[in-house]
Amino acid sequence: MVKQARYFWILVFFLLSCEQWVLPTDPSPDPIEVFDRLWEDVNDRYSFFSHKAIDWEQVRETYRARVSDDMGQLELYELLADMLFELRDGHVNLSTGFNRSRNWDWYQEFPVNYDENLIEQEYLGTDYWISGPLLHQVLDEVLYVNYRSFAQRISESNLQVVVERAKRSRGVIIDVRNNGGGNLSNAELLASAFAEEEMEYARQRIKSGPGPEEFGPWEPMVLNPWEEGTFTGLVVVLTNRRSYSATSFFAQMMKTLPNALLLGDQTGGGGGTPVFGELPNGWTYRFSATQTVDLENRQLEDGVLVDLRLDLDPAAMQRGEDNLIEAAISLLRR
Amino acid sequence: MVKQARYFWILVFFLLSCEQWVLPTDPSPDPIEVFDRLWEDVNDRYSFFSHKAIDWEQVRETYRARVSDDMGQLELYELLADMLFELRDGHVNLSTGFNRSRNWDWYQEFPVNYDENLIEQEYLGTDYWISGPLLHQVLDEVLYVNYRSFAQRISESNLQVVVERAKRSRGVIIDVRNNGGGNLSNAELLASAFAEEEMEYARQRIKSGPGPEEFGPWEPMVLNPWEEGTFTGLVVVLTNRRSYSATSFFAQMMKTLPNALLLGDQTGGGGGTPVFGELPNGWTYRFSATQTVDLENRQLEDGVLVDLRLDLDPAAMQRGEDNLIEAAISLLRR
Amino acid sequence: MRFFSPYFILSFLLAFGAATAAYSQTKGNLWLATGLQLQSGRDRGFSPMIYSGNRSFSLAAFGIESPHKTETFQFEFGYGPLTNRFGNSLNALSAGLLNYTFYHKESPAERGLHWGWSNQNVFNIRRHNGFTNYSLRYDYFTAIGPALRYTYPFEWKGQSFKWQTLAHWQVVGFQIKSGYIGADPEGLSEEKTGFGNLLRAVDPFFAGKEWSMGLESSLIWTLPTGNSLAIRYRPEISSLGGGQPVQRLGQAVLVMVTIRLW
Amino acid sequence: MRFFSPYFILSFLLAFGAATAAYSQTKGNLWLATGLQLQSGRDRGFSPMIYSGNRSFSLAAFGIESPHKTETFQFEFGYGPLTNRFGNSLNALSAGLLNYTFYHKESPAERGLHWGWSNQNVFNIRRHNGFTNYSLRYDYFTAIGPALRYTYPFEWKGQSFKWQTLAHWQVVGFQIKSGYIGADPEGLSEEKTGFGNLLRAVDPFFAGKEWSMGLESSLIWTLPTGNSLAIRYRPEISSLGGGQPVQRLGQAVLVMVTIRLW
């Protein structure tokens, strides 16, 4: 009987020796290993190589030669940040605790078109309403709504009051300039309050394998009218180049609605949903892993174009006026 | 035997009938009840009646007459908001879902002294470092650190890199203008990186009963040097009237340090830690329930005074200069 | 907490069981029960509103039955979110130790009415999810009082069943509660010395001003092996006065196994 | 989840026990165990790094022993945070059903080596706390394979003890795993019909490419009442290939009570 027990000791030792075989230890945190991991993961999962005509193999050749295992963490960070900069994508970041790399070319080369101090002093005033993240004020019988980040959650009761005030007005201005994005569900909720019927506003696909063109199928993105009641009067959405990510999606939703139009400058883009990753030295990163196109197959990554192109006029600002808001008011009062 | 069981049925019924007696149902959401609850809770727990010479009984008389049970929620909200406005306190809010009342007189009547677009374009530029919520850039051998909200957590590694860059510079500017506060622990952590030794910077006491002068004892608030190493060179902290709450505490900590001075306009105040409450109609509110005084027994609620008073100069702004940052740089380079 | 409680209890029982298994005149039992508790409560330090909800609730008990008396040591644990009628929420955790001693010198332990006493120790802590400051409050009390037990065994379809109801009422003891505004009890921080500090924070518990009473009614199916399966209903109330009053009402329904250890 | 699992299991057992108590030739047992599991795992869909930590781990099992075979149905549940060596964390939840059948026609059930088979069903889900998108990933497999049991009873200081080791190795079955980027399995959303959809998401499980094996070693102290207290050590490995591979290694130490139902 005890002899049979030997089978078991063999089994126990076998199982314990499996550890290294089933679960090999973590990869080395040496710069070369870190570089290769990052390059390879971007190569496998990044979604815009062909759209942006980026030769990632060529990028590897350029940067790989500059990596060595005796370089410092700061040098390595700068090298990797430079490499990721080539993706020309605001949804690409490398986070190290001491610094976070980014590519903000999509707004830094363009006019700002937004002055928060001016809006607070001349438009919102002191008695505007605060419904969660939605700041709103009635201007010349028009409801002006300022929303600064889609990362701030809109509750149903926040939205309810905006819809109710909208119904008592001659139209709505939604100001999402400088709104850098956040949660798509907030964008869908806000847009749903102005949608008369269900409609497809974009299509999205996701990387499904390491090949450069390995994507899942195009899935429709659909906007449903808000069940609590909607405002179907005229809406003007103000955007600038710093309207990014979820804000681009919001702009696209509103652009699809027959009762809304976009005014200002095109959005900055951000049409790919970022996926996250980790490097063997503990740094984390993210980059786009999906593609989104509008109904004409134009990539949202390139920004959503406005219906009416208008920049902030320094002369108007000097007079204490935001000429985008003024233009929206006169459009709605017409 | 079964007869004895009667005791138990009596016990069970007794226990079940206790429900209403032990736990009476929720108070009525009628306007008069709501008004009385709010007035009474502020009366019992608010901490600045005598410091601000507010006659809360008088306030009750003024407003109670205007409440009736057939008034709408919007009217009731406006009445309560007006009543709370009398406390002249930025830490007092009434939140209803459709609007949030506030008293922002502590900054609205004063110069703004801060232009984020200007700082991004002329000082931070495109290659500044992002260490969590700390944005920093070297300007003329001086480290400029911009921190926009104490609600954003500073990690140890974020702080480490700031201290290390500070050590390689001729001094540090910490810009907390327009920083409306947040978490006191972030203020303590940031200040601790510039403290050479343990020191008391303020004293705090908390309401301990419903009487107007019922407070617990004064407790010292102490700043300890950061264990990971500190920068003990010169530091200039930039504040304006919108530096509030945790930012006032931070200003007070830095003011107490021998190697730091405050430049700009005094902070907005916010020296009382707010306690929260609920009304029978579901609205929530908060108000100050503590007092904090500096080492000269001056209330932090009245704002922390700067060492060097300076306003933003429109002419300098026109030249693309923030004259507060310029003044701080020349102070540190002297 | 969730994990360690049953773990330590069982370890303790393993050791304890070994030590007492030698007693020949006694019976040792282990109870394990889990279920749902509908809890409603109000803490004036937070709000005048009632917060209620269904929490998970579990208990582990160890009992020794000797010819003349029965002793039970019962550890209880409850955790879950409670909401008010406007949807605001708090998370409430309770941990308690409830001890019973019943005397049955004159009548059999298996049947009838028995008097005894109980000792209850309960710690409650709650975190409000909508409040940014002073969002944590707690209370604790320890008290003793009389207890009563009624047991009625019966047969049904050839199987042994038992109806048992226990009642307890806490009369006198001590309490510690969060302060007027903050989580720390009033007076706790006035001195720096630990014990003097603690004494300042302690208030008496007196029936009349404070209340804690409860029932445990169980329908028990005794298996031929001596173990049993049971369903227990457990209503209780408690109310702590003074400072910011705290009231609570709980009703738990539990499934329970009893394990005969010796 | 945490609460409902033991609750429903016990309810099921109450009903099941009642139905089978009539069998005279069989023995019915209930096991309850709780403890800690040191888990290490890697999901290539998240990271090349290992995440490990001590999780709470519990199981409830029901066993029927007839003269020629023993069947056990074991529900397992584990939950807790795992961290990598830089402090990033994810929360990992596992729920599984592990069934054993052992045959002992020729030898007594209480002693010796018995062969049998096992069926394992495991669902794992993890949420990464540092990733804002695609932070949820899961996997599931069901498979069958051989099992082996060795039981060695002994006496020590007049008490009955038993050493028992069970081993299982999963050979063939099915698996479903999160996709290349997102939580949904690849192919799941291609069609709108539910079942065709599900079939697309299912991949085979084959020993060689996929692995799942484990041991359960218990030191059992049988009480005079027929119940027992035990300590169990439970190492296991699993590895799912294809797409983004997932590997896991767990070692649990549990305290356990066994309740004789009939």
Side-chain angles (χ1 to χ4, degrees):
Chain A
M1 202 62 76
V2 177
K3 214 170 162 187
Q4 291 169 327
R6 284 184 197 158
Y7 292 118
F8 278 93
W9 296 120
I10 293 166
L11 250 167
V12 171
F13 285 117
F14 171 67
L15 207 69
L16 292 178
S17 67
C18 285
E19 173 160 352
Q20 179 54 31
W21 163 66
V22 172
L23 200 66
T25 48
D26 282 339
S28 131
D30 294 338
I32 291 174
E33 179 88 355
V34 169
F35 178 93
D36 287 347
R37 290 267 161 190
L38 180 61
W39 182 88
E40 198 182 315
D41 195 23
V42 173
N43 187 59
D44 291 352
R45 301 197 294 169
Y46 186 65
S47 55
F48 290 122
F49 286 129
S50 60
H51 174 64
K52 297 186 176 180
I54 295 166
D55 184 346
W56 194 238
E57 286 288 348
Q58 179 59 48
V59 168
R60 181 176 193 277
E61 270 174 47
T62 312
Y63 289 90
R64 183 63 154 74
R66 289 160 52 190
V67 193
S68 70
D69 272 351
D70 54 359
M71 70 198 297
Q73 291 288 291
L74 196 57
E75 280 173 281
L76 179 63
Y77 164 77
E78 276 168 5
L79 182 78
L80 298 181
D82 287 350
M83 179 173 83
L84 292 175
F85 199 85
E86 307 259 4
L87 295 173
R88 305 190 303 274
D89 188 329
H91 271 152
V92 173
N93 301 97
L94 176 64
S95 298
T96 64
F98 57 85
N99 203 349
R100 192 172 82 229
S101 83
R102 68 277 177 187
N103 186 327
W104 284 343
D105 281 349
W106 43 273
Y107 75 79
Q108 277 163 339
E109 297 162 9
F110 300 96
V112 177
N113 283 351
Y114 184 73
D115 186 325
E116 200 166 289
N117 287 346
L118 178 71
I119 287 168
E120 288 205 1
Q121 281 159 16
E122 305 297 331
Y123 294 95
L124 287 174
T126 57
D127 62 343
Y128 62 94
W129 288 34
I130 302 179
S131 303
L134 303 173
L135 317 181
H136 44 109
Q137 177 66 287
V138 177
L139 308 170
D140 289 338
E141 299 172 277
V142 163
L143 183 68
Y144 171 79
V145 183
N146 188 297
Y147 184 30
R148 290 171 187 173
S149 170
F150 278 96
Q152 296 176 302
R153 199 179 83 84
I154 301 172
S155 75
E156 303 255 312
S157 65
N158 298 155
L159 192 55
Q160 192 88 57
V161 61
V162 168
V163 171
E164 268 166 35
R165 282 190 102 188
K167 283 178 178 165
R168 277 179 269 125
S169 73
R170 295 181 63 169
V172 177
I173 301 169
I174 301 179
D175 191 345
V176 288
R177 288 177 290 175
N178 273 31
N179 185 326
N183 199 321
L184 193 60
S185 63
N186 290 323
E188 279 169 353
L189 179 62
L190 184 56
S192 72
F194 306 99
E196 198 161 6
E197 51 187 20
E198 182 183 309
M199 59 168 42
E200 183 179 327
Y201 66 90
R203 284 173 305 131
Q204 189 165 45
R205 62 177 187 174
I206 185 169
K207 278 283 278 179
S208 64
E213 292 304 323
E214 259 186 270
F215 282 92
W218 286 108
E219 305 273 356
M221 301 186 83
V222 175
L223 183 66
N224 289 299
W226 194 38
E227 285 166 10
E228 310 290 314
T230 60
F231 172 78
T232 52
L234 286 182
V235 183
V236 177
V237 178
L238 306 183
T239 58
N240 67 358
R241 291 274 180 165
R242 291 184 74 158
S243 303
Y244 192 74
S245 191
T247 313
S248 277
F249 282 82
F250 175 73
Q252 177 58 27
M253 293 173 205
M254 296 305 283
K255 199 181 176 181
T256 315
L257 297 182
N259 52 325
L261 60 83
L262 309 190
L263 189 152
D265 199 354
Q266 67 162 85
T267 71
T273 311
V275 68
F276 287 71
E278 275 181 342
L279 293 172
N281 60 351
W283 297 351
T284 59
Y285 55 91
R286 61 170 197 166
F287 55 76
S288 303
T290 70
Q291 295 183 338
T292 313
V293 292
D294 67 13
L295 304 177
E296 282 86 44
N297 288 324
R298 211 181 151 275
Q299 288 277 359
L300 259 59
E301 176 68 6
D302 302 333
V304 176
L305 301 178
V306 290
D307 300 299
L308 271 171
R309 181 76 183 77
L310 194 60
D311 280 336
L312 206 56
D313 175 12
M317 281 176 73
Q318 214 70 48
R319 291 194 307 270
E321 272 184 18
D322 181 319
N323 57 304
L324 276 77
I325 297 179
E326 298 295 337
I329 292 174
S330 50
L331 266 173
L332 292 169
R333 287 179 64 86
R334 227 175 20 207
Chain B
M1 204 62 76
V2 176
K3 217 171 161 187
Q4 292 169 326
R6 283 185 199 157
Y7 292 118
F8 278 92
W9 295 120
I10 292 166
L11 250 167
V12 171
F13 285 117
F14 170 67
L15 207 70
L16 292 179
S17 67
C18 287
E19 173 160 352
Q20 180 53 32
W21 163 65
V22 172
L23 199 66
T25 49
D26 282 339
S28 130
D30 292 339
I32 290 174
E33 179 87 356
V34 169
F35 178 93
D36 287 346
R37 291 268 162 189
L38 180 61
W39 183 88
E40 197 183 317
D41 195 22
V42 173
N43 187 59
D44 291 352
R45 301 197 293 168
Y46 186 65
S47 55
F48 290 122
F49 286 128
S50 60
H51 174 64
K52 297 187 177 179
I54 294 166
D55 184 346
W56 194 238
E57 286 289 348
Q58 179 60 47
V59 168
R60 181 176 195 278
E61 270 174 47
T62 312
Y63 290 90
R64 182 64 153 74
R66 289 159 53 190
V67 194
S68 70
D69 272 351
D70 54 358
M71 70 198 296
Q73 292 288 291
L74 197 56
E75 279 172 280
L76 178 64
Y77 163 77
E78 276 168 6
L79 182 77
L80 298 181
D82 287 349
M83 180 173 82
L84 292 175
F85 199 84
E86 307 260 4
L87 296 173
R88 304 190 303 275
D89 188 329
H91 272 155
V92 174
N93 302 97
L94 175 64
S95 297
T96 63
F98 58 84
N99 203 349
R100 193 172 81 227
S101 84
R102 69 277 176 187
N103 186 328
W104 284 343
D105 281 350
W106 44 273
Y107 75 78
Q108 276 164 339
E109 296 163 9
F110 299 96
V112 177
N113 282 353
Y114 185 73
D115 187 325
E116 199 166 290
N117 287 345
L118 178 71
I119 287 168
E120 288 205 0
Q121 280 160 16
E122 305 297 332
Y123 294 95
L124 287 173
T126 58
D127 61 344
Y128 63 93
W129 289 34
I130 302 179
S131 304
L134 302 175
L135 317 181
H136 43 109
Q137 177 67 287
V138 176
L139 308 170
D140 288 339
E141 300 171 276
V142 163
L143 184 67
Y144 171 79
V145 183
N146 188 296
Y147 184 30
R148 289 172 187 171
S149 169
F150 278 97
Q152 294 176 304
R153 199 180 82 84
I154 301 173
S155 75
E156 302 254 313
S157 66
N158 297 155
L159 192 55
Q160 192 89 59
V161 60
V162 168
V163 171
E164 268 167 34
R165 283 189 100 189
K167 283 179 178 165
R168 277 180 268 124
S169 74
R170 295 182 61 170
V172 178
I173 301 168
I174 301 179
D175 192 345
V176 289
R177 287 175 291 174
N178 272 32
N179 184 327
N183 198 322
L184 193 60
S185 64
N186 289 323
E188 279 168 354
L189 180 63
L190 184 56
S192 72
F194 305 99
E196 200 163 4
E197 51 187 19
E198 182 182 309
M199 60 169 43
E200 184 179 326
Y201 66 90
R203 283 174 305 130
Q204 190 164 44
R205 62 178 189 173
I206 185 170
K207 279 282 279 177
S208 64
E213 292 304 321
E214 260 187 89
F215 283 93
W218 285 108
E219 306 272 356
M221 301 186 83
V222 174
L223 183 65
N224 289 298
W226 195 37
E227 284 165 11
E228 310 288 314
T230 59
F231 172 76
T232 52
L234 286 181
V235 184
V236 177
V237 178
L238 306 183
T239 58
N240 67 357
R241 291 273 179 166
R242 290 184 75 158
S243 303
Y244 192 74
S245 190
T247 313
S248 278
F249 282 82
F250 175 72
Q252 176 58 28
M253 292 173 207
M254 297 304 284
K255 199 181 175 181
T256 315
L257 296 183
N259 53 323
L261 61 82
L262 309 190
L263 190 152
D265 198 354
Q266 67 161 87
T267 71
T273 311
V275 67
F276 286 70
E278 276 180 342
L279 293 172
N281 61 352
W283 296 350
T284 59
Y285 56 91
R286 62 169 196 167
F287 56 76
S288 304
T290 70
Q291 294 182 339
T292 313
V293 292
D294 67 13
L295 304 177
E296 282 86 46
N297 288 323
R298 211 181 152 277
Q299 289 276 0
L300 260 60
E301 176 68 6
D302 302 334
V304 175
L305 300 179
V306 289
D307 299 298
L308 271 170
R309 180 75 182 79
L310 193 61
D311 280 337
L312 206 57
D313 174 13
M317 283 177 71
Q318 214 70 47
R319 291 195 305 271
E321 273 184 17
D322 181 319
N323 56 303
L324 276 78
I325 296 180
E326 299 295 338
I329 290 174
S330 49
L331 266 173
L332 291 169
R333 288 179 63 86
R334 222 167 28 199
Chain C
M1 194 72 194
R2 202 181 85 242
F3 159 69
F4 278 104
S5 1
Y7 180 74
F8 277 120
I9 289 251
L10 282 173
S11 314
F12 162 80
L13 290 173
L14 278 170
F16 195 81
T20 52
Y23 285 70
S24 59
Q25 290 272 334
T26 66
K27 275 194 251 178
N29 284 299
L30 179 67
W31 287 263
L32 299 172
T34 188
L36 272 185
Q37 183 189 41
L38 171 60
Q39 212 208 23
S40 304
R42 173 184 281 137
D43 180 347
R44 292 272 168 185
F46 276 152
S47 161
M49 311 294 283
I50 293 176
Y51 279 75
S52 61
N54 285 305
R55 304 196 302 173
S56 76
F57 194 86
S58 299
L59 62 86
F62 175 66
I64 305 175
E65 187 182 317
S66 59
H68 297 327
K69 68 173 180 180
T70 306
E71 289 174 287
T72 313
F73 308 93
Q74 180 167 302
F75 176 81
E76 306 165 355
F77 182 80
Y79 181 74
L82 310 180
T83 54
N84 75 4
R85 60 195 169 96
F86 297 103
N88 290 339
S89 71
L90 54 81
N91 290 324
L93 181 153
S94 306
L97 187 61
L98 180 57
N99 304 319
Y100 290 110
T101 304
F102 293 106
Y103 300 93
H104 35 74
K105 216 164 181 169
E106 255 114 81
S107 63
E110 296 75 29
R111 174 183 292 276
L113 195 69
H114 304 122
W115 284 94
W117 58 271
S118 64
N119 158 238
Q120 189 177 19
N121 312 272
V122 182
F123 176 72
N124 274 282
I125 187 162
R126 47 204 166 271
R127 181 180 288 281
H128 200 288
N129 298 316
F131 297 172
T132 314
N133 300 303
Y134 305 121
S135 59
L136 191 77
R137 294 182 67 80
Y138 59 85
D139 56 83
Y140 169 80
F141 69 86
T142 177
I144 55 168
L148 198 56
R149 180 179 79 171
Y150 177 69
T151 314
Y152 180 71
F154 61 95
E155 300 265 315
W156 185 68
K157 295 207 173 181
Q159 300 285 326
S160 304
F161 290 91
K162 196 161 69 173
W163 174 267
Q164 189 175 67
T165 296
L166 279 67
H168 70 91
W169 176 39
Q170 305 305 317
V171 174
V172 63
F174 300 100
Q175 60 167 320
I176 298 179
K177 274 216 318 285
S178 278
Y180 192 67
I181 302 280
D184 284 337
E186 223 55 72
L188 190 63
S189 50
E190 291 184 32
E191 285 181 15
K192 289 286 173 191
T193 60
F195 189 69
N197 235 333
L198 188 66
L199 279 188
R200 262 173 212 272
V202 172
D203 289 313
F205 176 110
F206 281 125
K209 192 162 74 69
E210 280 76 33
W211 293 98
S212 178
M213 52 176 74
L215 288 184
E216 299 193 322
S217 286
S218 311
L219 177 63
I220 301 157
W221 172 31
T222 306
L223 301 168
T225 54
N227 299 314
S228 58
L229 300 172
I231 288 171
R232 175 177 281 191
Y233 170 63
R234 189 174 185 283
E236 63 187 326
I237 59 171
S238 70
S239 171
L240 300 177
Q244 301 280 22
V246 174
Q247 298 125 12
R248 257 187 308 273
L249 203 124
Q251 292 183 73
V253 176
L254 308 167
V255 289
M256 187 166 74
V257 292
T258 313
I259 302 137
R260 273 260 341 246
L261 297 179
W262 69 86
Chain D
M1 193 73 193
R2 204 181 83 241
F3 160 69
F4 278 103
S5 0
Y7 180 75
F8 276 120
I9 289 249
L10 282 172
S11 313
F12 162 80
L13 290 173
L14 278 170
F16 195 82
T20 51
Y23 285 69
S24 59
Q25 291 271 331
T26 66
K27 278 194 246 176
N29 285 299
L30 179 66
W31 287 265
L32 299 172
T34 188
L36 272 185
Q37 184 190 40
L38 170 61
Q39 213 208 23
S40 305
R42 174 183 280 137
D43 180 347
R44 292 272 168 186
F46 275 152
S47 163
M49 310 294 283
I50 293 176
Y51 279 75
S52 61
N54 285 306
R55 305 197 301 173
S56 76
F57 194 86
S58 299
L59 62 84
F62 175 66
I64 305 175
E65 187 183 316
S66 59
H68 297 328
K69 68 173 180 180
T70 307
E71 288 174 287
T72 313
F73 308 94
Q74 179 168 303
F75 176 81
E76 306 164 354
F77 182 78
Y79 181 73
L82 310 180
T83 55
N84 75 3
R85 61 194 169 96
F86 298 101
N88 290 338
S89 70
L90 54 81
N91 291 322
L93 181 152
S94 306
L97 187 62
L98 179 58
N99 304 318
Y100 291 110
T101 306
F102 293 106
Y103 299 92
H104 36 73
K105 213 163 187 171
E106 255 114 82
S107 62
E110 296 75 29
R111 172 182 293 274
L113 194 70
H114 303 122
W115 284 95
W117 58 273
S118 65
N119 158 237
Q120 189 179 19
N121 311 272
V122 182
F123 177 72
N124 274 281
I125 188 162
R126 46 203 166 272
R127 181 179 288 281
H128 200 289
N129 298 317
F131 298 172
T132 315
N133 300 302
Y134 304 122
S135 58
L136 191 77
R137 293 182 68 80
Y138 59 84
D139 56 83
Y140 169 80
F141 69 88
T142 177
I144 54 168
L148 199 56
R149 180 179 79 171
Y150 177 69
T151 313
Y152 180 71
F154 61 96
E155 300 264 315
W156 184 66
K157 296 208 174 181
Q159 300 284 326
S160 303
F161 290 92
K162 196 162 71 174
W163 173 266
Q164 189 174 68
T165 296
L166 279 67
H168 69 91
W169 175 38
Q170 304 305 318
V171 175
V172 63
F174 300 99
Q175 61 167 318
I176 298 178
K177 273 215 319 286
S178 278
Y180 191 68
I181 303 280
D184 284 336
E186 223 54 73
L188 189 63
S189 51
E190 290 184 32
E191 285 181 15
K192 290 284 174 193
T193 61
F195 190 70
N197 236 332
L198 189 66
L199 278 188
R200 262 172 211 271
V202 173
D203 289 313
F205 176 109
F206 280 124
K209 192 161 72 68
E210 280 77 33
W211 293 97
S212 178
M213 52 176 75
L215 289 183
E216 298 193 323
S217 286
S218 311
L219 177 64
I220 301 158
W221 172 31
T222 306
L223 301 168
T225 53
N227 298 315
S228 58
L229 300 173
I231 288 172
R232 174 176 282 190
Y233 171 64
R234 190 175 185 284
E236 63 187 324
I237 58 171
S238 70
S239 170
L240 299 176
Q244 303 280 24
V246 174
Q247 297 125 12
R248 257 188 309 272
L249 203 124
Q251 292 183 71
V253 176
L254 308 168
V255 289
M256 187 163 75
V257 291
T258 314
I259 303 138
R260 273 257 346 244
L261 297 178
W262 69 85

